[in-house]
Amino acid sequence: MKKLIICLFSLVFMAACVDDLDEYNIDTKRATDVPPATLFTNALLGLTDVLTTPNVNTNNIRLYVQHWATTQYVEEPRYNMTGRLIPQNFWNALYRDVLADLKEAKRLLNANETIDPVLKNNQLAQIEIMEVYAWSILVTTFGDIPYTEALDPTNTQPVYDDDQAIYNDILERLDMALGLINIEESGFEEGDVLYNGDMTQWVKFGNSLKLRLAMVIADVDPAKAGTLVAEAAPNVFTSNADNALFPYTAATPNNNPISDNVTGPLSAREDFIAASTLVDVMNSLNDPRRPQYFTDVNGQFIGGRVGFANNYEENSTVSEKVAALDFPGVLLDYAEVEFLLAEAVERGFIAGSAAEHYNAAIRASILYWGGTEAEATAYLAQPGVNYATAPGDWKQKIGKQAWIAFFNRGYEAWLTWRRLDAPTLTPPVEGLIVPTRLIYPVNEQTLNPNNREAAASAIGGDESSTKLFWDVN
């Protein structure tokens, strides 16, 4: 009886101490305030995941650029974007998992009046650079997209902004971010899994991104592109030590998403194999990266037909290195920078030797993948690789070698292929056209129909074959 009276007294006393019963419904184990650094890291993870994953429900770009083929799926390599929610999942990942986290990190950082102003500016610069990166992926993938009215939970039907206007704006934002950086101080440290707060590296990363973005508009606005390239070139990556690599771990769920989708430590799936389009070219050049890219079949590298069913056992697939849980995700690397600089020389944007930059790009790729200096030198000496003797014009030479080097970087391979129209990629079935964009998500037709329809009309039609404003050749 005494225990019952004590319990009743305790309940009355507790009730008197709160205004209403809602105060009991607080989950003390659930975080309510997330630090900006945590949001920043999560955004980096989300961005790397969506660009890296080969999951057929989200990212089929490796199939479009014919680096990978499939064993049983034929609709995805034949560019069917409506049988699954592919565009919607890609779109949602960037808006919801990347840009929303970066926006909240920025809000919290701006609201903090106690942080050192120099540190705050550096952290804001890091956030802004990654926002620009994410927006650039969206606008070069879809065209017109929600931008000025995006990320507002009270606005369920944001307008789609003009893709060229968005592009010009993010270029200005990138310059603004670079102007905030003080290399004498750090930025995010623990939250910065790319460079651990080293702002000198962020200057290089930001300028390397600026170089990429400038070259995207080289055909449609060469004057502006040339100015931007000249500004960026002195401060870009200079070696593989600068590469922007996301450090996936051997522990789930922070493992490389490739390992979830291929045969390896986490999966027995046999859905993907190497594409003959890529393997045959690399075989013809005796490319030293083949054992780093692919498994072999009785000592040979064999690729399957893109867009057709293939036997898994009879073809090469991705190597153990690529399938490893902790294989890094690449956001930007030195090889890409050197290919861009070679192109910039050919376009007359900067002085120098296109051949030297081209050679540096290929050498950087071979060394990154584990090859030797001797292998790189021998590869570059081949008539089919040597810049002076390789077939085609400069676009075909650079485009082909960039396409090889960007194995496992589907988006960058696709972006470069769309810009340079090289190498030649033949659709698997007559009448198809290799995609030059992703179509708008299907849910936009029901949730935001008028704005989506206006955007589709503005870009020339919501088709995967529609060329975006910068893709004029």
mmCIF file of all heavy atoms in Angstrom, residues 60-102:
data_model
loop_
_atom_site.group_PDB
_atom_site.id
_atom_site.type_symbol
_atom_site.label_atom_id
_atom_site.label_comp_id
_atom_site.label_asym_id
_atom_site.label_seq_id
_atom_site.Cartn_x
_atom_site.Cartn_y
_atom_site.Cartn_z
ATOM 1 N N ASN A 60 22.371 4.718 -64.156
ATOM 2 C CA ASN A 60 22.731 3.802 -65.231
ATOM 3 C C ASN A 60 23.726 4.409 -66.214
ATOM 4 O O ASN A 60 23.875 3.931 -67.344
ATOM 5 C CB ASN A 60 21.465 3.376 -65.990
ATOM 6 C CG ASN A 60 20.590 2.459 -65.161
ATOM 7 O OD1 ASN A 60 20.948 1.324 -64.873
ATOM 8 N ND2 ASN A 60 19.433 2.950 -64.760
ATOM 9 N N ILE A 61 24.415 5.452 -65.775
ATOM 10 C CA ILE A 61 25.264 6.194 -66.701
ATOM 11 C C ILE A 61 26.432 5.349 -67.186
ATOM 12 O O ILE A 61 26.885 5.497 -68.328
ATOM 13 C CB ILE A 61 25.733 7.510 -66.055
ATOM 14 C CG1 ILE A 61 24.507 8.401 -65.759
ATOM 15 C CG2 ILE A 61 26.688 8.252 -66.962
ATOM 16 C CD1 ILE A 61 24.825 9.683 -65.025
ATOM 17 N N ARG A 62 26.946 4.425 -66.360
ATOM 18 C CA ARG A 62 28.006 3.533 -66.834
ATOM 19 C C ARG A 62 27.544 2.714 -68.033
ATOM 20 O O ARG A 62 28.349 2.335 -68.891
ATOM 21 C CB ARG A 62 28.435 2.582 -65.715
ATOM 22 C CG ARG A 62 29.262 3.204 -64.600
ATOM 23 C CD ARG A 62 29.626 2.114 -63.596
ATOM 24 N NE ARG A 62 30.406 2.605 -62.475
ATOM 25 C CZ ARG A 62 29.899 3.180 -61.392
ATOM 26 N NH1 ARG A 62 28.580 3.349 -61.307
ATOM 27 N NH2 ARG A 62 30.673 3.593 -60.405
ATOM 28 N N LEU A 63 26.255 2.411 -68.079
ATOM 29 C CA LEU A 63 25.711 1.671 -69.217
ATOM 30 C C LEU A 63 25.593 2.570 -70.438
ATOM 31 O O LEU A 63 25.847 2.129 -71.567
ATOM 32 C CB LEU A 63 24.341 1.091 -68.856
ATOM 33 C CG LEU A 63 24.280 0.206 -67.606
ATOM 34 C CD1 LEU A 63 22.852 -0.258 -67.347
ATOM 35 C CD2 LEU A 63 25.215 -0.996 -67.743
ATOM 36 N N TYR A 64 25.220 3.837 -70.231
ATOM 37 C CA TYR A 64 25.082 4.764 -71.358
ATOM 38 C C TYR A 64 26.419 5.012 -72.043
ATOM 39 O O TYR A 64 26.476 5.122 -73.278
ATOM 40 C CB TYR A 64 24.511 6.111 -70.890
ATOM 41 C CG TYR A 64 23.171 6.046 -70.198
ATOM 42 C CD1 TYR A 64 22.726 7.090 -69.396
ATOM 43 C CD2 TYR A 64 22.341 4.923 -70.316
ATOM 44 C CE1 TYR A 64 21.501 7.041 -68.756
ATOM 45 C CE2 TYR A 64 21.122 4.859 -69.662
ATOM 46 C CZ TYR A 64 20.708 5.924 -68.876
ATOM 47 O OH TYR A 64 19.496 5.877 -68.232
ATOM 48 N N VAL A 65 27.503 5.125 -71.244
ATOM 49 C CA VAL A 65 28.824 5.386 -71.839
ATOM 50 C C VAL A 65 29.539 4.090 -72.217
ATOM 51 O O VAL A 65 30.666 4.115 -72.675
ATOM 52 C CB VAL A 65 29.716 6.225 -70.902
ATOM 53 C CG1 VAL A 65 29.100 7.592 -70.668
ATOM 54 C CG2 VAL A 65 29.980 5.511 -69.578
ATOM 55 N N GLN A 66 28.878 2.956 -72.010
ATOM 56 C CA GLN A 66 29.350 1.647 -72.466
ATOM 57 C C GLN A 66 30.676 1.242 -71.828
ATOM 58 O O GLN A 66 31.536 0.658 -72.460
ATOM 59 C CB GLN A 66 29.407 1.611 -74.001
ATOM 60 C CG GLN A 66 28.043 1.865 -74.607
ATOM 61 C CD GLN A 66 27.975 1.742 -76.117
ATOM 62 O OE1 GLN A 66 28.877 1.182 -76.738
ATOM 63 N NE2 GLN A 66 26.915 2.249 -76.712
ATOM 64 N N HIS A 67 30.772 1.544 -70.539
ATOM 65 C CA HIS A 67 31.852 0.999 -69.722
ATOM 66 C C HIS A 67 31.446 -0.360 -69.164
ATOM 67 O O HIS A 67 32.279 -1.259 -69.039
ATOM 68 C CB HIS A 67 32.166 1.935 -68.563
ATOM 69 C CG HIS A 67 32.970 3.130 -68.956
ATOM 70 N ND1 HIS A 67 33.176 4.199 -68.104
ATOM 71 C CD2 HIS A 67 33.634 3.449 -70.095
ATOM 72 C CE1 HIS A 67 33.919 5.115 -68.702
ATOM 73 N NE2 HIS A 67 34.213 4.678 -69.908
ATOM 74 N N TRP A 68 30.186 -0.475 -68.781
ATOM 75 C CA TRP A 68 29.649 -1.707 -68.232
ATOM 76 C C TRP A 68 28.548 -2.227 -69.155
ATOM 77 O O TRP A 68 27.923 -1.465 -69.892
ATOM 78 C CB TRP A 68 29.045 -1.479 -66.840
ATOM 79 C CG TRP A 68 30.010 -1.186 -65.737
ATOM 80 C CD1 TRP A 68 31.294 -0.723 -65.835
ATOM 81 C CD2 TRP A 68 29.755 -1.329 -64.338
ATOM 82 N NE1 TRP A 68 31.847 -0.561 -64.594
ATOM 83 C CE2 TRP A 68 30.925 -0.919 -63.652
ATOM 84 C CE3 TRP A 68 28.662 -1.739 -63.591
ATOM 85 C CZ2 TRP A 68 31.020 -0.935 -62.258
ATOM 86 C CZ3 TRP A 68 28.751 -1.750 -62.194
ATOM 87 C CH2 TRP A 68 29.927 -1.350 -61.542
ATOM 88 N N ALA A 69 28.326 -3.525 -69.088
ATOM 89 C CA ALA A 69 27.182 -4.159 -69.731
ATOM 90 C C ALA A 69 26.458 -4.986 -68.670
ATOM 91 O O ALA A 69 26.925 -5.100 -67.534
ATOM 92 C CB ALA A 69 27.641 -5.038 -70.893
ATOM 93 N N THR A 70 25.343 -5.555 -69.040
ATOM 94 C CA THR A 70 24.531 -6.317 -68.090
ATOM 95 C C THR A 70 24.377 -7.757 -68.538
ATOM 96 O O THR A 70 24.562 -8.082 -69.717
ATOM 97 C CB THR A 70 23.131 -5.691 -67.945
ATOM 98 O OG1 THR A 70 22.546 -5.543 -69.246
ATOM 99 C CG2 THR A 70 23.214 -4.324 -67.296
ATOM 100 N N THR A 71 24.042 -8.602 -67.581
ATOM 101 C CA THR A 71 23.829 -10.018 -67.919
ATOM 102 C C THR A 71 22.369 -10.304 -68.249
ATOM 103 O O THR A 71 22.077 -11.108 -69.126
ATOM 104 C CB THR A 71 24.271 -10.917 -66.753
ATOM 105 O OG1 THR A 71 23.591 -10.501 -65.554
ATOM 106 C CG2 THR A 71 25.775 -10.822 -66.542
ATOM 107 N N GLN A 72 21.456 -9.645 -67.536
ATOM 108 C CA GLN A 72 20.045 -9.931 -67.766
ATOM 109 C C GLN A 72 19.210 -8.691 -68.045
ATOM 110 O O GLN A 72 18.254 -8.742 -68.812
ATOM 111 C CB GLN A 72 19.466 -10.674 -66.561
ATOM 112 C CG GLN A 72 19.634 -9.950 -65.229
ATOM 113 C CD GLN A 72 19.061 -10.740 -64.073
ATOM 114 O OE1 GLN A 72 18.042 -11.407 -64.211
ATOM 115 N NE2 GLN A 72 19.720 -10.663 -62.914
ATOM 116 N N TYR A 73 19.540 -7.559 -67.432
ATOM 117 C CA TYR A 73 18.785 -6.343 -67.691
ATOM 118 C C TYR A 73 19.103 -5.834 -69.100
ATOM 119 O O TYR A 73 20.272 -5.625 -69.429
ATOM 120 C CB TYR A 73 19.143 -5.244 -66.684
ATOM 121 C CG TYR A 73 18.937 -5.605 -65.240
ATOM 122 C CD1 TYR A 73 19.999 -5.586 -64.346
ATOM 123 C CD2 TYR A 73 17.675 -5.962 -64.766
ATOM 124 C CE1 TYR A 73 19.825 -5.900 -63.006
ATOM 125 C CE2 TYR A 73 17.495 -6.282 -63.428
ATOM 126 C CZ TYR A 73 18.566 -6.262 -62.560
ATOM 127 O OH TYR A 73 18.384 -6.582 -61.242
ATOM 128 N N VAL A 74 18.091 -5.620 -69.911
ATOM 129 C CA VAL A 74 18.335 -5.049 -71.241
ATOM 130 C C VAL A 74 17.651 -3.707 -71.416
ATOM 131 O O VAL A 74 18.026 -2.927 -72.294
ATOM 132 C CB VAL A 74 17.893 -6.016 -72.364
ATOM 133 C CG1 VAL A 74 18.730 -7.283 -72.325
ATOM 134 C CG2 VAL A 74 16.406 -6.331 -72.265
ATOM 135 N N GLU A 75 16.664 -3.412 -70.596
ATOM 136 C CA GLU A 75 15.949 -2.141 -70.747
ATOM 137 C C GLU A 75 16.821 -0.958 -70.341
ATOM 138 O O GLU A 75 16.792 0.096 -70.978
ATOM 139 C CB GLU A 75 14.662 -2.157 -69.916
ATOM 140 C CG GLU A 75 13.596 -3.098 -70.442
ATOM 141 C CD GLU A 75 13.159 -2.745 -71.843
ATOM 142 O OE1 GLU A 75 12.809 -1.569 -72.073
ATOM 143 O OE2 GLU A 75 13.196 -3.632 -72.714
ATOM 144 N N GLU A 76 17.594 -1.105 -69.280
ATOM 145 C CA GLU A 76 18.406 0.008 -68.782
ATOM 146 C C GLU A 76 19.510 0.401 -69.775
ATOM 147 O O GLU A 76 19.663 1.587 -70.072
ATOM 148 C CB GLU A 76 18.992 -0.334 -67.410
ATOM 149 C CG GLU A 76 17.962 -0.385 -66.297
ATOM 150 C CD GLU A 76 17.069 -1.630 -66.346
ATOM 151 O OE1 GLU A 76 17.438 -2.606 -67.038
ATOM 152 O OE2 GLU A 76 16.016 -1.629 -65.685
ATOM 153 N N PRO A 77 20.299 -0.546 -70.317
ATOM 154 C CA PRO A 77 21.288 -0.146 -71.314
ATOM 155 C C PRO A 77 20.682 0.236 -72.658
ATOM 156 O O PRO A 77 21.392 0.750 -73.533
ATOM 157 C CB PRO A 77 22.188 -1.385 -71.447
ATOM 158 C CG PRO A 77 21.354 -2.518 -70.982
ATOM 159 C CD PRO A 77 20.457 -1.953 -69.920
ATOM 160 N N ARG A 78 19.366 0.021 -72.799
ATOM 161 C CA ARG A 78 18.661 0.506 -73.995
ATOM 162 C C ARG A 78 17.902 1.796 -73.692
ATOM 163 O O ARG A 78 16.982 2.174 -74.402
ATOM 164 C CB ARG A 78 17.713 -0.568 -74.524
ATOM 165 C CG ARG A 78 18.436 -1.798 -75.062
ATOM 166 C CD ARG A 78 17.486 -2.805 -75.682
ATOM 167 N NE ARG A 78 18.215 -3.990 -76.151
ATOM 168 C CZ ARG A 78 17.652 -4.994 -76.832
ATOM 169 N NH1 ARG A 78 16.351 -4.948 -77.121
ATOM 170 N NH2 ARG A 78 18.383 -6.031 -77.223
ATOM 171 N N TYR A 79 18.296 2.437 -72.603
ATOM 172 C CA TYR A 79 17.908 3.804 -72.270
ATOM 173 C C TYR A 79 16.461 3.963 -71.815
ATOM 174 O O TYR A 79 15.911 5.060 -71.865
ATOM 175 C CB TYR A 79 18.175 4.760 -73.448
ATOM 176 C CG TYR A 79 19.451 4.478 -74.196
ATOM 177 C CD1 TYR A 79 19.486 4.486 -75.590
ATOM 178 C CD2 TYR A 79 20.628 4.181 -73.515
ATOM 179 C CE1 TYR A 79 20.661 4.207 -76.279
ATOM 180 C CE2 TYR A 79 21.810 3.911 -74.198
ATOM 181 C CZ TYR A 79 21.807 3.914 -75.590
ATOM 182 O OH TYR A 79 22.966 3.643 -76.267
ATOM 183 N N ASN A 80 15.858 2.890 -71.312
ATOM 184 C CA ASN A 80 14.509 3.008 -70.754
ATOM 185 C C ASN A 80 14.612 3.698 -69.396
ATOM 186 O O ASN A 80 15.190 3.137 -68.457
ATOM 187 C CB ASN A 80 13.875 1.621 -70.611
ATOM 188 C CG ASN A 80 12.435 1.682 -70.120
ATOM 189 O OD1 ASN A 80 12.022 2.633 -69.459
ATOM 190 N ND2 ASN A 80 11.656 0.674 -70.468
ATOM 191 N N MET A 81 14.035 4.888 -69.294
ATOM 192 C CA MET A 81 14.089 5.656 -68.053
ATOM 193 C C MET A 81 12.759 5.694 -67.323
ATOM 194 O O MET A 81 12.627 6.378 -66.302
ATOM 195 C CB MET A 81 14.552 7.083 -68.344
ATOM 196 C CG MET A 81 15.940 7.181 -68.935
ATOM 197 S SD MET A 81 16.449 8.903 -69.199
ATOM 198 C CE MET A 81 17.995 8.655 -70.091
ATOM 199 N N THR A 82 11.767 4.975 -67.827
ATOM 200 C CA THR A 82 10.446 5.004 -67.197
ATOM 201 C C THR A 82 10.063 3.673 -66.561
ATOM 202 O O THR A 82 9.127 3.605 -65.774
ATOM 203 C CB THR A 82 9.363 5.392 -68.220
ATOM 204 O OG1 THR A 82 9.374 4.460 -69.317
ATOM 205 C CG2 THR A 82 9.602 6.795 -68.759
ATOM 206 N N GLY A 83 10.771 2.597 -66.879
ATOM 207 C CA GLY A 83 10.461 1.301 -66.275
ATOM 208 C C GLY A 83 10.814 1.266 -64.801
ATOM 209 O O GLY A 83 10.263 0.477 -64.038
ATOM 210 N N ARG A 84 11.743 2.108 -64.403
ATOM 211 C CA ARG A 84 12.123 2.278 -63.006
ATOM 212 C C ARG A 84 12.098 3.773 -62.692
ATOM 213 O O ARG A 84 11.997 4.600 -63.606
ATOM 214 C CB ARG A 84 13.533 1.725 -62.756
ATOM 215 C CG ARG A 84 13.717 0.256 -63.063
ATOM 216 C CD ARG A 84 15.167 -0.146 -62.885
ATOM 217 N NE ARG A 84 15.431 -1.509 -63.298
ATOM 218 C CZ ARG A 84 15.356 -2.567 -62.491
ATOM 219 N NH1 ARG A 84 15.038 -2.391 -61.218
ATOM 220 N NH2 ARG A 84 15.619 -3.773 -62.940
ATOM 221 N N LEU A 85 12.251 4.106 -61.426
ATOM 222 C CA LEU A 85 12.230 5.524 -61.029
ATOM 223 C C LEU A 85 13.639 6.118 -61.072
ATOM 224 O O LEU A 85 14.088 6.786 -60.135
ATOM 225 C CB LEU A 85 11.631 5.663 -59.633
ATOM 226 C CG LEU A 85 10.181 5.209 -59.475
ATOM 227 C CD1 LEU A 85 9.742 5.346 -58.019
ATOM 228 C CD2 LEU A 85 9.260 6.014 -60.379
ATOM 229 N N ILE A 86 14.348 5.881 -62.159
ATOM 230 C CA ILE A 86 15.758 6.273 -62.258
ATOM 231 C C ILE A 86 15.942 7.784 -62.140
ATOM 232 O O ILE A 86 16.664 8.264 -61.253
ATOM 233 C CB ILE A 86 16.369 5.734 -63.566
ATOM 234 C CG1 ILE A 86 16.299 4.214 -63.596
ATOM 235 C CG2 ILE A 86 17.818 6.208 -63.722
ATOM 236 C CD1 ILE A 86 16.440 3.606 -64.968
ATOM 237 N N PRO A 87 15.303 8.592 -63.012
ATOM 238 C CA PRO A 87 15.504 10.039 -62.887
ATOM 239 C C PRO A 87 15.044 10.586 -61.534
ATOM 240 O O PRO A 87 15.675 11.486 -60.973
ATOM 241 C CB PRO A 87 14.668 10.612 -64.045
ATOM 242 C CG PRO A 87 14.536 9.487 -65.015
ATOM 243 C CD PRO A 87 14.456 8.265 -64.166
ATOM 244 N N GLN A 88 13.943 10.034 -61.019
ATOM 245 C CA GLN A 88 13.407 10.510 -59.749
ATOM 246 C C GLN A 88 14.372 10.221 -58.598
ATOM 247 O O GLN A 88 14.602 11.080 -57.734
ATOM 248 C CB GLN A 88 12.063 9.841 -59.482
ATOM 249 C CG GLN A 88 11.332 10.356 -58.256
ATOM 250 C CD GLN A 88 9.905 9.851 -58.198
ATOM 251 O OE1 GLN A 88 9.182 9.881 -59.187
ATOM 252 N NE2 GLN A 88 9.506 9.351 -57.040
ATOM 253 N N ASN A 89 14.961 9.042 -58.580
ATOM 254 C CA ASN A 89 15.897 8.702 -57.510
ATOM 255 C C ASN A 89 17.173 9.526 -57.602
ATOM 256 O O ASN A 89 17.728 9.942 -56.574
ATOM 257 C CB ASN A 89 16.217 7.208 -57.562
ATOM 258 C CG ASN A 89 15.030 6.348 -57.170
ATOM 259 O OD1 ASN A 89 14.163 6.774 -56.406
ATOM 260 N ND2 ASN A 89 14.968 5.139 -57.699
ATOM 261 N N PHE A 90 17.655 9.768 -58.815
ATOM 262 C CA PHE A 90 18.849 10.591 -59.001
ATOM 263 C C PHE A 90 18.570 12.025 -58.552
ATOM 264 O O PHE A 90 19.352 12.635 -57.818
ATOM 265 C CB PHE A 90 19.244 10.555 -60.488
ATOM 266 C CG PHE A 90 20.618 11.079 -60.777
ATOM 267 C CD1 PHE A 90 21.710 10.239 -60.754
ATOM 268 C CD2 PHE A 90 20.827 12.414 -61.107
ATOM 269 C CE1 PHE A 90 22.995 10.705 -61.038
ATOM 270 C CE2 PHE A 90 22.095 12.897 -61.391
ATOM 271 C CZ PHE A 90 23.184 12.038 -61.358
ATOM 272 N N TRP A 91 17.440 12.566 -58.972
ATOM 273 C CA TRP A 91 16.982 13.920 -58.627
ATOM 274 C C TRP A 91 16.811 14.063 -57.114
ATOM 275 O O TRP A 91 17.322 15.011 -56.499
ATOM 276 C CB TRP A 91 15.676 14.133 -59.369
ATOM 277 C CG TRP A 91 14.827 15.326 -59.125
ATOM 278 C CD1 TRP A 91 14.059 15.600 -58.025
ATOM 279 C CD2 TRP A 91 14.577 16.400 -60.058
ATOM 280 N NE1 TRP A 91 13.343 16.762 -58.213
ATOM 281 C CE2 TRP A 91 13.643 17.273 -59.447
ATOM 282 C CE3 TRP A 91 15.028 16.688 -61.328
ATOM 283 C CZ2 TRP A 91 13.158 18.425 -60.087
ATOM 284 C CZ3 TRP A 91 14.549 17.838 -61.967
ATOM 285 C CH2 TRP A 91 13.646 18.695 -61.351
ATOM 286 N N ASN A 92 16.091 13.119 -56.500
ATOM 287 C CA ASN A 92 15.830 13.187 -55.057
ATOM 288 C C ASN A 92 17.114 13.133 -54.247
ATOM 289 O O ASN A 92 17.255 13.827 -53.232
ATOM 290 C CB ASN A 92 14.913 12.039 -54.634
ATOM 291 C CG ASN A 92 13.472 12.236 -55.064
ATOM 292 O OD1 ASN A 92 13.097 13.315 -55.512
ATOM 293 N ND2 ASN A 92 12.669 11.187 -54.958
ATOM 294 N N ALA A 93 18.043 12.296 -54.672
ATOM 295 C CA ALA A 93 19.289 12.166 -53.919
ATOM 296 C C ALA A 93 20.032 13.497 -53.863
ATOM 297 O O ALA A 93 20.562 13.882 -52.817
ATOM 298 C CB ALA A 93 20.168 11.091 -54.554
ATOM 299 N N LEU A 94 20.057 14.225 -54.964
ATOM 300 C CA LEU A 94 20.787 15.492 -54.995
ATOM 301 C C LEU A 94 20.041 16.590 -54.253
ATOM 302 O O LEU A 94 20.645 17.359 -53.499
ATOM 303 C CB LEU A 94 21.063 15.896 -56.445
ATOM 304 C CG LEU A 94 22.165 15.065 -57.102
ATOM 305 C CD1 LEU A 94 22.117 15.172 -58.606
ATOM 306 C CD2 LEU A 94 23.537 15.490 -56.587
ATOM 307 N N TYR A 95 18.741 16.682 -54.435
ATOM 308 C CA TYR A 95 17.979 17.718 -53.733
ATOM 309 C C TYR A 95 17.845 17.411 -52.245
ATOM 310 O O TYR A 95 18.105 18.265 -51.388
ATOM 311 C CB TYR A 95 16.577 17.854 -54.350
ATOM 312 C CG TYR A 95 16.507 18.769 -55.553
ATOM 313 C CD1 TYR A 95 16.302 18.262 -56.827
ATOM 314 C CD2 TYR A 95 16.638 20.148 -55.402
ATOM 315 C CE1 TYR A 95 16.227 19.102 -57.932
ATOM 316 C CE2 TYR A 95 16.559 21.000 -56.502
ATOM 317 C CZ TYR A 95 16.352 20.469 -57.760
ATOM 318 O OH TYR A 95 16.285 21.304 -58.854
ATOM 319 N N ARG A 96 17.459 16.186 -51.937
ATOM 320 C CA ARG A 96 17.124 15.829 -50.542
ATOM 321 C C ARG A 96 18.339 15.472 -49.704
ATOM 322 O O ARG A 96 18.458 15.895 -48.553
ATOM 323 C CB ARG A 96 16.143 14.643 -50.569
ATOM 324 C CG ARG A 96 15.687 14.121 -49.209
ATOM 325 C CD ARG A 96 15.085 12.730 -49.368
ATOM 326 N NE ARG A 96 16.062 11.783 -49.869
ATOM 327 C CZ ARG A 96 15.754 10.750 -50.657
ATOM 328 N NH1 ARG A 96 14.508 10.539 -51.046
ATOM 329 N NH2 ARG A 96 16.705 9.917 -51.056
ATOM 330 N N ASP A 97 19.254 14.675 -50.274
ATOM 331 C CA ASP A 97 20.369 14.147 -49.480
ATOM 332 C C ASP A 97 21.609 15.027 -49.530
ATOM 333 O O ASP A 97 22.506 14.863 -48.708
ATOM 334 C CB ASP A 97 20.742 12.744 -49.971
ATOM 335 C CG ASP A 97 19.587 11.763 -49.879
ATOM 336 O OD1 ASP A 97 18.672 12.013 -49.070
ATOM 337 O OD2 ASP A 97 19.590 10.761 -50.620
ATOM 338 N N VAL A 98 21.678 15.917 -50.498
ATOM 339 C CA VAL A 98 22.879 16.747 -50.643
ATOM 340 C C VAL A 98 22.549 18.212 -50.402
ATOM 341 O O VAL A 98 22.998 18.819 -49.422
ATOM 342 C CB VAL A 98 23.515 16.556 -52.040
ATOM 343 C CG1 VAL A 98 24.785 17.403 -52.156
ATOM 344 C CG2 VAL A 98 23.820 15.086 -52.294
ATOM 345 N N LEU A 99 21.753 18.803 -51.269
ATOM 346 C CA LEU A 99 21.505 20.245 -51.198
ATOM 347 C C LEU A 99 20.745 20.647 -49.936
ATOM 348 O O LEU A 99 21.017 21.703 -49.357
ATOM 349 C CB LEU A 99 20.760 20.705 -52.444
ATOM 350 C CG LEU A 99 21.622 20.719 -53.716
ATOM 351 C CD1 LEU A 99 20.746 20.872 -54.962
ATOM 352 C CD2 LEU A 99 22.656 21.843 -53.660
ATOM 353 N N ALA A 100 19.805 19.832 -49.499
ATOM 354 C CA ALA A 100 19.063 20.172 -48.281
ATOM 355 C C ALA A 100 19.990 20.179 -47.063
ATOM 356 O O ALA A 100 19.892 21.066 -46.196
ATOM 357 C CB ALA A 100 17.911 19.191 -48.074
ATOM 358 N N ASP A 101 20.899 19.206 -46.991
ATOM 359 C CA ASP A 101 21.845 19.173 -45.873
ATOM 360 C C ASP A 101 22.796 20.363 -45.925
ATOM 361 O O ASP A 101 23.129 20.960 -44.888
ATOM 362 C CB ASP A 101 22.648 17.874 -45.900
ATOM 363 C CG ASP A 101 21.894 16.713 -45.266
ATOM 364 O OD1 ASP A 101 20.786 16.939 -44.733
ATOM 365 O OD2 ASP A 101 22.407 15.582 -45.299
ATOM 366 N N LEU A 102 23.263 20.713 -47.109
ATOM 367 C CA LEU A 102 24.176 21.852 -47.241
ATOM 368 C C LEU A 102 23.475 23.162 -46.887
ATOM 369 O O LEU A 102 24.070 24.039 -46.248
ATOM 370 C CB LEU A 102 24.737 21.910 -48.664
ATOM 371 C CG LEU A 102 25.692 20.778 -49.049
ATOM 372 C CD1 LEU A 102 26.024 20.843 -50.532
ATOM 373 C CD2 LEU A 102 26.975 20.824 -48.214
#
